[in-house]
Short mmCIF file of all heavy atoms in Angstrom, two decimals:
data_model
loop_
_atom_site.label_atom_id
_atom_site.label_comp_id
_atom_site.label_asym_id
_atom_site.label_seq_id
_atom_site.Cartn_x
_atom_site.Cartn_y
_atom_site.Cartn_z
N LYS R 139 -19.51 -15.39 -25.44
CA LYS R 139 -19.23 -16.74 -25.01
C LYS R 139 -18.85 -16.76 -23.53
O LYS R 139 -17.76 -16.34 -23.15
CB LYS R 139 -18.08 -17.32 -25.85
CG LYS R 139 -18.41 -17.45 -27.30
CD LYS R 139 -17.21 -17.93 -28.12
CE LYS R 139 -17.55 -18.06 -29.60
NZ LYS R 139 -16.36 -18.45 -30.43
N THR R 140 -19.76 -17.28 -22.72
CA THR R 140 -19.55 -17.36 -21.29
C THR R 140 -18.33 -18.21 -20.96
O THR R 140 -17.53 -17.84 -20.08
CB THR R 140 -20.79 -17.95 -20.58
OG1 THR R 140 -21.89 -17.08 -20.82
CG2 THR R 140 -20.58 -18.09 -19.09
N TRP R 141 -18.15 -19.32 -21.68
CA TRP R 141 -17.03 -20.22 -21.39
C TRP R 141 -15.69 -19.52 -21.62
O TRP R 141 -14.70 -19.81 -20.94
CB TRP R 141 -17.11 -21.49 -22.24
CG TRP R 141 -16.90 -21.29 -23.71
CD1 TRP R 141 -17.86 -21.08 -24.65
CD2 TRP R 141 -15.65 -21.25 -24.41
NE1 TRP R 141 -17.30 -20.94 -25.90
CE2 TRP R 141 -15.93 -21.04 -25.79
CE3 TRP R 141 -14.32 -21.39 -24.03
CZ2 TRP R 141 -14.94 -20.95 -26.76
CZ3 TRP R 141 -13.32 -21.29 -24.99
CH2 TRP R 141 -13.63 -21.07 -26.36
N LEU R 142 -15.66 -18.57 -22.59
CA LEU R 142 -14.42 -17.85 -22.87
C LEU R 142 -14.11 -16.88 -21.71
O LEU R 142 -12.94 -16.71 -21.32
CB LEU R 142 -14.53 -17.09 -24.18
CG LEU R 142 -13.26 -16.60 -24.87
CD1 LEU R 142 -12.23 -17.71 -24.98
CD2 LEU R 142 -13.59 -16.04 -26.25
N GLN R 143 -15.13 -16.22 -21.19
CA GLN R 143 -14.94 -15.35 -20.00
C GLN R 143 -14.40 -16.17 -18.84
O GLN R 143 -13.46 -15.74 -18.15
CB GLN R 143 -16.26 -14.70 -19.63
CG GLN R 143 -16.82 -13.76 -20.69
CD GLN R 143 -18.21 -13.24 -20.32
OE1 GLN R 143 -18.49 -12.95 -19.16
NE2 GLN R 143 -19.09 -13.16 -21.31
N GLU R 144 -15.02 -17.33 -18.58
CA GLU R 144 -14.58 -18.18 -17.46
C GLU R 144 -13.15 -18.66 -17.68
O GLU R 144 -12.37 -18.76 -16.72
CB GLU R 144 -15.51 -19.39 -17.34
CG GLU R 144 -16.91 -19.00 -16.85
CD GLU R 144 -17.90 -20.17 -16.92
OE1 GLU R 144 -17.73 -21.04 -17.81
OE2 GLU R 144 -18.82 -20.19 -16.10
N THR R 145 -12.80 -18.96 -18.92
CA THR R 145 -11.45 -19.45 -19.21
C THR R 145 -10.40 -18.34 -18.97
O THR R 145 -9.33 -18.61 -18.40
CB THR R 145 -11.36 -19.95 -20.67
OG1 THR R 145 -12.30 -21.00 -20.86
CG2 THR R 145 -9.95 -20.45 -21.00
N ILE R 146 -10.71 -17.11 -19.41
CA ILE R 146 -9.78 -16.00 -19.18
C ILE R 146 -9.53 -15.79 -17.69
O ILE R 146 -8.39 -15.58 -17.24
CB ILE R 146 -10.36 -14.70 -19.79
CG1 ILE R 146 -10.28 -14.79 -21.34
CG2 ILE R 146 -9.56 -13.47 -19.31
CD1 ILE R 146 -11.00 -13.68 -22.06
N VAL R 147 -10.57 -15.93 -16.88
CA VAL R 147 -10.45 -15.77 -15.43
C VAL R 147 -9.70 -16.97 -14.83
O VAL R 147 -8.75 -16.82 -14.05
CB VAL R 147 -11.84 -15.64 -14.77
CG1 VAL R 147 -11.71 -15.72 -13.25
CG2 VAL R 147 -12.47 -14.33 -15.17
N SER R 148 -10.14 -18.18 -15.18
CA SER R 148 -9.66 -19.35 -14.45
C SER R 148 -8.31 -19.90 -14.92
O SER R 148 -7.69 -20.69 -14.18
CB SER R 148 -10.71 -20.48 -14.56
OG SER R 148 -10.94 -20.83 -15.89
N MET R 149 -7.80 -19.48 -16.08
CA MET R 149 -6.51 -20.00 -16.51
C MET R 149 -5.37 -19.53 -15.59
O MET R 149 -4.36 -20.20 -15.48
CB MET R 149 -6.21 -19.55 -17.95
CG MET R 149 -6.86 -20.44 -19.00
SD MET R 149 -6.45 -22.21 -18.88
CE MET R 149 -7.88 -22.86 -18.00
N ALA R 150 -5.58 -18.38 -14.93
CA ALA R 150 -4.57 -17.96 -13.93
C ALA R 150 -4.56 -18.96 -12.75
O ALA R 150 -3.52 -19.25 -12.18
CB ALA R 150 -4.88 -16.54 -13.43
N VAL R 151 -5.75 -19.46 -12.41
CA VAL R 151 -5.85 -20.43 -11.33
C VAL R 151 -5.21 -21.76 -11.75
O VAL R 151 -4.51 -22.41 -10.98
CB VAL R 151 -7.32 -20.65 -10.92
CG1 VAL R 151 -7.44 -21.64 -9.78
CG2 VAL R 151 -8.00 -19.33 -10.56
N ALA R 152 -5.47 -22.16 -13.02
CA ALA R 152 -4.86 -23.38 -13.54
C ALA R 152 -3.32 -23.25 -13.51
O ALA R 152 -2.61 -24.21 -13.12
CB ALA R 152 -5.33 -23.66 -14.96
N GLY R 153 -2.82 -22.10 -13.94
CA GLY R 153 -1.39 -21.86 -13.85
C GLY R 153 -0.86 -21.88 -12.42
O GLY R 153 0.24 -22.40 -12.15
N ALA R 154 -1.69 -21.40 -11.47
CA ALA R 154 -1.27 -21.38 -10.06
C ALA R 154 -1.14 -22.79 -9.51
O ALA R 154 -0.28 -23.05 -8.66
CB ALA R 154 -2.29 -20.58 -9.23
N ILE R 155 -1.98 -23.71 -9.95
CA ILE R 155 -1.89 -25.10 -9.50
C ILE R 155 -0.53 -25.68 -9.90
O ILE R 155 0.18 -26.31 -9.11
CB ILE R 155 -3.03 -25.95 -10.10
CG1 ILE R 155 -4.39 -25.50 -9.55
CG2 ILE R 155 -2.82 -27.45 -9.78
CD1 ILE R 155 -5.57 -26.17 -10.24
N ILE R 156 -0.13 -25.43 -11.16
CA ILE R 156 1.17 -25.91 -11.66
C ILE R 156 2.31 -25.19 -10.92
O ILE R 156 3.29 -25.81 -10.51
CB ILE R 156 1.28 -25.68 -13.17
CG1 ILE R 156 0.18 -26.45 -13.91
CG2 ILE R 156 2.65 -26.10 -13.68
CD1 ILE R 156 0.05 -26.11 -15.39
N GLY R 157 2.15 -23.86 -10.73
CA GLY R 157 3.18 -23.09 -10.05
C GLY R 157 3.39 -23.54 -8.62
O GLY R 157 4.51 -23.63 -8.15
N ALA R 158 2.28 -23.84 -7.91
CA ALA R 158 2.38 -24.31 -6.52
C ALA R 158 3.01 -25.70 -6.47
O ALA R 158 3.80 -26.01 -5.57
CB ALA R 158 0.97 -24.33 -5.89
N ALA R 159 2.64 -26.57 -7.44
CA ALA R 159 3.17 -27.93 -7.46
C ALA R 159 4.68 -27.94 -7.70
O ALA R 159 5.43 -28.63 -7.01
CB ALA R 159 2.45 -28.75 -8.51
N PHE R 160 5.14 -27.16 -8.71
CA PHE R 160 6.56 -27.12 -9.03
C PHE R 160 7.33 -26.18 -8.07
O PHE R 160 8.56 -26.27 -7.93
CB PHE R 160 6.79 -26.67 -10.47
CG PHE R 160 6.58 -27.75 -11.47
CD1 PHE R 160 5.37 -27.89 -12.13
CD2 PHE R 160 7.57 -28.68 -11.72
CE1 PHE R 160 5.17 -28.91 -13.04
CE2 PHE R 160 7.39 -29.70 -12.64
CZ PHE R 160 6.18 -29.82 -13.30
N GLY R 161 6.58 -25.25 -7.44
CA GLY R 161 7.23 -24.30 -6.56
C GLY R 161 7.93 -24.96 -5.39
O GLY R 161 9.00 -24.53 -4.96
N GLY R 162 7.34 -26.04 -4.87
CA GLY R 162 7.97 -26.76 -3.76
C GLY R 162 9.30 -27.34 -4.16
O GLY R 162 10.30 -27.22 -3.41
N TRP R 163 9.36 -27.92 -5.35
CA TRP R 163 10.64 -28.50 -5.82
C TRP R 163 11.67 -27.41 -6.06
O TRP R 163 12.84 -27.55 -5.69
CB TRP R 163 10.38 -29.29 -7.13
CG TRP R 163 11.62 -29.82 -7.74
CD1 TRP R 163 12.35 -30.90 -7.35
CD2 TRP R 163 12.35 -29.25 -8.85
NE1 TRP R 163 13.46 -31.08 -8.16
CE2 TRP R 163 13.48 -30.06 -9.09
CE3 TRP R 163 12.13 -28.13 -9.66
CZ2 TRP R 163 14.39 -29.79 -10.10
CZ3 TRP R 163 13.03 -27.88 -10.69
CH2 TRP R 163 14.14 -28.69 -10.88
N ILE R 164 11.25 -26.30 -6.67
CA ILE R 164 12.18 -25.18 -6.96
C ILE R 164 12.69 -24.60 -5.66
O ILE R 164 13.87 -24.26 -5.52
CB ILE R 164 11.47 -24.11 -7.82
CG1 ILE R 164 11.15 -24.67 -9.21
CG2 ILE R 164 12.36 -22.88 -7.95
CD1 ILE R 164 10.31 -23.76 -10.07
N ASN R 165 11.81 -24.47 -4.65
CA ASN R 165 12.21 -23.95 -3.33
C ASN R 165 13.30 -24.80 -2.71
O ASN R 165 14.27 -24.29 -2.17
CB ASN R 165 10.99 -23.88 -2.39
CG ASN R 165 10.29 -22.57 -2.45
OD1 ASN R 165 10.68 -21.62 -1.81
ND2 ASN R 165 9.23 -22.49 -3.24
N ASP R 166 13.11 -26.11 -2.74
CA ASP R 166 14.08 -27.00 -2.10
C ASP R 166 15.37 -27.12 -2.92
O ASP R 166 16.45 -27.22 -2.34
CB ASP R 166 13.48 -28.41 -1.96
CG ASP R 166 12.39 -28.45 -0.88
OD1 ASP R 166 12.38 -27.54 -0.01
OD2 ASP R 166 11.52 -29.34 -0.93
N LYS R 167 15.27 -27.05 -4.23
CA LYS R 167 16.43 -27.25 -5.10
C LYS R 167 17.29 -25.98 -5.22
O LYS R 167 18.53 -26.02 -5.12
CB LYS R 167 15.97 -27.67 -6.48
CG LYS R 167 17.08 -27.97 -7.46
CD LYS R 167 17.76 -29.29 -7.15
CE LYS R 167 18.77 -29.66 -8.23
NZ LYS R 167 19.52 -30.88 -7.90
N PHE R 168 16.65 -24.82 -5.41
CA PHE R 168 17.39 -23.58 -5.72
C PHE R 168 17.27 -22.51 -4.64
O PHE R 168 17.95 -21.50 -4.72
CB PHE R 168 16.90 -23.03 -7.06
CG PHE R 168 17.07 -23.97 -8.22
CD1 PHE R 168 15.99 -24.63 -8.75
CD2 PHE R 168 18.32 -24.19 -8.75
CE1 PHE R 168 16.14 -25.51 -9.82
CE2 PHE R 168 18.50 -25.09 -9.81
CZ PHE R 168 17.41 -25.74 -10.34
N GLY R 169 16.40 -22.70 -3.66
CA GLY R 169 16.29 -21.73 -2.58
C GLY R 169 15.08 -20.83 -2.70
O GLY R 169 14.47 -20.69 -3.77
N ARG R 170 14.72 -20.22 -1.58
CA ARG R 170 13.53 -19.35 -1.52
C ARG R 170 13.70 -18.07 -2.30
O ARG R 170 12.81 -17.61 -3.04
CB ARG R 170 13.19 -18.98 -0.07
CG ARG R 170 12.86 -20.01 0.95
CD ARG R 170 13.10 -21.44 0.70
NE ARG R 170 12.92 -22.25 1.89
CZ ARG R 170 12.92 -23.58 1.88
NH1 ARG R 170 13.10 -24.22 0.73
NH2 ARG R 170 12.74 -24.28 2.96
N LYS R 171 14.88 -17.47 -2.18
CA LYS R 171 15.15 -16.18 -2.85
C LYS R 171 15.04 -16.33 -4.37
O LYS R 171 14.39 -15.53 -5.05
CB LYS R 171 16.54 -15.70 -2.46
CG LYS R 171 16.97 -14.41 -3.18
CD LYS R 171 18.37 -13.98 -2.74
CE LYS R 171 18.89 -12.81 -3.54
NZ LYS R 171 20.22 -12.35 -3.07
N LYS R 172 15.69 -17.34 -4.91
CA LYS R 172 15.63 -17.55 -6.37
C LYS R 172 14.20 -17.86 -6.85
O LYS R 172 13.80 -17.48 -7.93
CB LYS R 172 16.60 -18.65 -6.78
CG LYS R 172 18.05 -18.24 -6.66
CD LYS R 172 18.98 -19.37 -7.07
CE LYS R 172 20.45 -18.92 -6.93
NZ LYS R 172 21.41 -20.03 -7.24
N SER R 173 13.46 -18.56 -6.00
CA SER R 173 12.07 -18.88 -6.36
C SER R 173 11.22 -17.62 -6.48
O SER R 173 10.41 -17.47 -7.39
CB SER R 173 11.45 -19.81 -5.31
OG SER R 173 12.12 -21.05 -5.27
N ILE R 174 11.43 -16.68 -5.53
CA ILE R 174 10.69 -15.41 -5.59
C ILE R 174 11.12 -14.62 -6.83
O ILE R 174 10.26 -14.02 -7.51
CB ILE R 174 10.97 -14.58 -4.30
CG1 ILE R 174 10.33 -15.27 -3.09
CG2 ILE R 174 10.43 -13.16 -4.45
CD1 ILE R 174 10.62 -14.60 -1.77
N ILE R 175 12.40 -14.62 -7.18
CA ILE R 175 12.88 -13.91 -8.36
C ILE R 175 12.26 -14.51 -9.61
O ILE R 175 11.85 -13.78 -10.53
CB ILE R 175 14.41 -13.93 -8.40
CG1 ILE R 175 14.98 -13.00 -7.32
CG2 ILE R 175 14.93 -13.50 -9.78
CD1 ILE R 175 16.47 -13.07 -7.16
N VAL R 176 12.18 -15.83 -9.67
CA VAL R 176 11.56 -16.50 -10.83
C VAL R 176 10.08 -16.12 -10.93
O VAL R 176 9.58 -15.83 -12.05
CB VAL R 176 11.69 -18.04 -10.72
CG1 VAL R 176 10.82 -18.74 -11.76
CG2 VAL R 176 13.15 -18.46 -10.91
N SER R 177 9.39 -16.07 -9.79
CA SER R 177 7.96 -15.67 -9.83
C SER R 177 7.80 -14.24 -10.33
O SER R 177 6.85 -13.94 -11.04
CB SER R 177 7.33 -15.85 -8.43
OG SER R 177 7.77 -14.88 -7.53
N ASP R 178 8.76 -13.35 -9.97
CA ASP R 178 8.70 -11.98 -10.47
C ASP R 178 8.85 -11.92 -11.99
O ASP R 178 8.18 -11.14 -12.66
CB ASP R 178 9.83 -11.14 -9.82
CG ASP R 178 9.58 -10.84 -8.38
OD1 ASP R 178 8.39 -10.72 -8.00
OD2 ASP R 178 10.54 -10.72 -7.61
N VAL R 179 9.76 -12.75 -12.54
CA VAL R 179 9.93 -12.79 -13.98
C VAL R 179 8.64 -13.25 -14.65
O VAL R 179 8.22 -12.70 -15.66
CB VAL R 179 11.10 -13.71 -14.36
CG1 VAL R 179 11.19 -13.92 -15.88
CG2 VAL R 179 12.43 -13.16 -13.83
N LEU R 180 8.01 -14.27 -14.08
CA LEU R 180 6.74 -14.78 -14.64
C LEU R 180 5.64 -13.72 -14.54
O LEU R 180 4.87 -13.53 -15.50
CB LEU R 180 6.32 -16.04 -13.87
CG LEU R 180 7.19 -17.29 -14.15
CD1 LEU R 180 6.86 -18.38 -13.13
CD2 LEU R 180 6.98 -17.80 -15.55
N PHE R 181 5.56 -13.00 -13.41
CA PHE R 181 4.60 -11.94 -13.25
C PHE R 181 4.80 -10.87 -14.35
O PHE R 181 3.84 -10.43 -15.00
CB PHE R 181 4.75 -11.23 -11.90
CG PHE R 181 3.99 -11.91 -10.76
CD1 PHE R 181 4.65 -12.30 -9.63
CD2 PHE R 181 2.63 -12.14 -10.84
CE1 PHE R 181 3.98 -12.87 -8.57
CE2 PHE R 181 1.95 -12.73 -9.80
CZ PHE R 181 2.62 -13.11 -8.66
N PHE R 182 6.05 -10.47 -14.52
CA PHE R 182 6.35 -9.40 -15.48
C PHE R 182 6.03 -9.83 -16.90
O PHE R 182 5.39 -9.08 -17.66
CB PHE R 182 7.82 -8.99 -15.36
CG PHE R 182 8.22 -7.86 -16.28
CD1 PHE R 182 7.85 -6.55 -15.98
CD2 PHE R 182 8.92 -8.10 -17.43
CE1 PHE R 182 8.19 -5.51 -16.82
CE2 PHE R 182 9.29 -7.08 -18.30
CZ PHE R 182 8.90 -5.77 -17.98
N LEU R 183 6.47 -11.01 -17.29
CA LEU R 183 6.19 -11.51 -18.63
C LEU R 183 4.69 -11.61 -18.88
O LEU R 183 4.17 -11.23 -19.92
CB LEU R 183 6.87 -12.86 -18.86
CG LEU R 183 8.41 -12.86 -18.97
CD1 LEU R 183 8.91 -14.29 -19.10
CD2 LEU R 183 8.85 -12.03 -20.18
N GLY R 184 3.98 -12.16 -17.89
CA GLY R 184 2.51 -12.29 -18.02
C GLY R 184 1.84 -10.94 -18.17
O GLY R 184 0.93 -10.80 -19.01
#
Side-chain angles (χ1 to χ4, degrees):
K139 297 176 181 177
T140 298
W141 67 267
L142 197 50
Q143 296 173 39
E144 290 171 330
T145 301
I146 290 171
V147 171
S148 60
M149 278 304 99
V151 182
I155 294 172
I156 300 170
F160 281 97
W163 176 78
I164 294 172
N165 269 277
D166 289 339
K167 183 74 174 176
F168 302 105
R170 299 12 172 171
K171 175 180 174 178
K172 289 180 181 176
S173 296
I174 293 175
I175 289 173
V176 169
S177 72
D178 287 329
V179 173
L180 290 168
F181 274 126
F182 182 76
L183 290 176

